[in-house]
Amino acid sequence: MTLKSGTDQACAACKYQRRRCTSDCSLAPHFPADQPKMFQNAHKLFGVKNILKLLKQLDPTQRVIAMKSIKYQANMRDRFPVYGCLVEIQQLYCQIQAGEGELQAVLSQLAFYRQNHQHHQETSSTNEPTSQLQLGVAPPENSLSLLHQEIPQSYNAVTALPIAPQPSYSDNANPAYNINILDSKEHNMLNNLWFQQAYCNSNNNNANSMAMQSQFIKSHPLSVQQEMTHDYDEIHPFFDAIDDTQSYIDSKEAYESSSESSMKDMRNSIEQMAANELKSAAAFFSLTSVN
Amino acid sequence: MASSSSYSNPPCAACKFLRRKCLPGCIFAPYFPPEEPQKFANVHKIFGASNVSKLLNEILPHQREDAVNSLAYEAEARLKDPVYGCVGAISVLQRQVLHLQKELDATNADLMRYTGSETSYLNQMTAQFGRMGRGGGGASFNPNSGFPDATYSSQWNNDSNSSEHGGNGGM
């Protein structure tokens, strides 16, 4: 029998393994009986033995987080059998790259208007404004100083990107990860992740782009992981918001969709973003050509 | 040894690790060369040879190399960080994206304040690009969901950040 002692139902793990679910079942808290698929995914990727082995080496507080990450990883592998979590990592890289490009464009605009405003202030104290770029409302004085302050900061953020200054983390469990991600070396490495360029900018089909991604994995094993700093206190809140039961049921329909159509959607959205970027750049240049 | 004939290939890293004969149809052989023993050792430790074999058998042959490499990546990540594994990297990247978005919002606000109404159209387009990047880039987020949702991107994020951006942590 697979019934737990008492009136409680056996957990999904014990139910799957067709064994008695005792009160000290270590997997019961993580695999409720009403979510069999979740355990199946985890079992398919890791196996019960490996999961228990992983949990054994962790503190009780860390086990909850670890199980959530294991379930997440297993579900991603179920959705994307070939790439698993790398799909998400890759998309985030693309987003960061797109965001950096956008930030550069906006900062360029800011610099341009600042320059014009400076020129206007220097020459128009007694003269009439002649530039067609003269804007209706002159910014208050303090905004210019604010601009001076913020642009360098933003440029620093851009040059030091992919991220702006973040608190350095300490992680006693993994001292190898105590690396400040702002180090320019890491930024260069991230910039050298050629697959970002290849995937984000290319219009190739999925096979080509993902083949390039494979090359990335080969040439930069754990480049993200090694450069990341970890603070479990910092990341821990991420897991608090995760509602396993509702989330999995809500996302169940998604499991029916093919990964290929998802890749196609992402490619379309990236192309759309690129097109919009071109439009905004064109509008900007058309405006600046009025002189 | 009788099995090591002069014209047979050396055993792959998997078969070497498992101390078994590497047959011509070994499913691991193309992806775990003997020069990279650690790769299979990591994968075996985290996922197990049997699970990997089953996974590979379910995937088309031309995709197996990518699958193995992604598994190797995840295994190594899990070994280095037993709590978060490769999901830790996702968390950090998501925070980067959020930070970048905040930076963009602030910069756009400065631009709009500075340029005034005459360029509001351009600024709106620029801001809209950012919004579309969040909404149209497939990076949707269901605050109630911690698992991959229907769209391509799955957000491993917290509620406070996502709600700040209208429930969308991406760009």
Side-chain angles (χ1 to χ4, degrees), chain A residues 11-18 27 30-48 51 67 70-71 73-79 248 252 255, chain B residues 51 54-55 58:
Chain A
C11 71
C14 293
K15 211 181 229 181
Y16 182 87
Q17 297 171 84
R18 299 187 184 183
L27 296 178
H30 310 291
F31 296 109
D34 57 350
Q35 297 176 23
K37 179 69 175 164
M38 200 171 295
F39 174 76
Q40 284 172 25
N41 291 342
H43 178 63
K44 188 179 177 184
L45 180 62
F46 291 94
V48 173
I51 293 175
M67 276 312 304
I70 284 170
K71 286 188 284 186
Q73 199 173 332
N75 288 326
M76 284 297 278
R77 183 61 64 173
D78 182 62
R79 282 188 78 193
Y248 193 80
K252 195 175 179 185
Y255 277 52
Chain B
N51 292 334
K54 285 181 203 167
L55 276 166
E58 291 175 359

Side-chain angles (χ1 to χ4, degrees), chain A residues 3 17 70 93 95 120 137 160 172 181 185 214 237 248 278 284:
Chain A
L3 288 179
Q17 297 171 84
I70 284 170
Y93 269 126
Q95 288 180 5
H120 170 68
V137 177
N172 293 330
I181 196 171
K185 192 164 54 172
S214 170
Y248 193 80
L278 284 173
F284 173 64

Side-chain angles (χ1 to χ4, degrees), chain A residues 69 72-73 79 82-83 88 91 95 113 117 150 163-164 169 174 177 214 218 232 239 247 251 266 269, chain B residues 65-66 69-70 74 78 80-81 83-84 95-96 99 110-111 114 136-137 139 147-148 152-154 156:
Chain A
S69 72
Y72 181 87
Q73 199 173 332
R79 282 188 78 193
V82 181
Y83 300 103
E88 175 71 7
Q91 190 190 19
Q95 288 180 5
Y113 285 121
H117 183 74
E150 291 198 350
I163 56 169
Y169 302 129
N174 293 299
Y177 285 172
S214 170
K218 277 183 184 171
Y232 292 137
F239 293 81
S247 63
S251 65
M266 186 178 131
S269 63
Chain B
E65 186 177 6
D66 289 349
N69 289 332
S70 71
E74 290 184 13
R78 184 62 65 176
K80 295 205 170 187
D81 185 354
V83 180
Y84 288 96
R95 273 185 295 166
Q96 290 180 29
H99 183 92
D110 284 341
L111 188 62
Y114 185 60
F147 283 117
Y152 176 71
S153 167
S154 58
W156 178 261

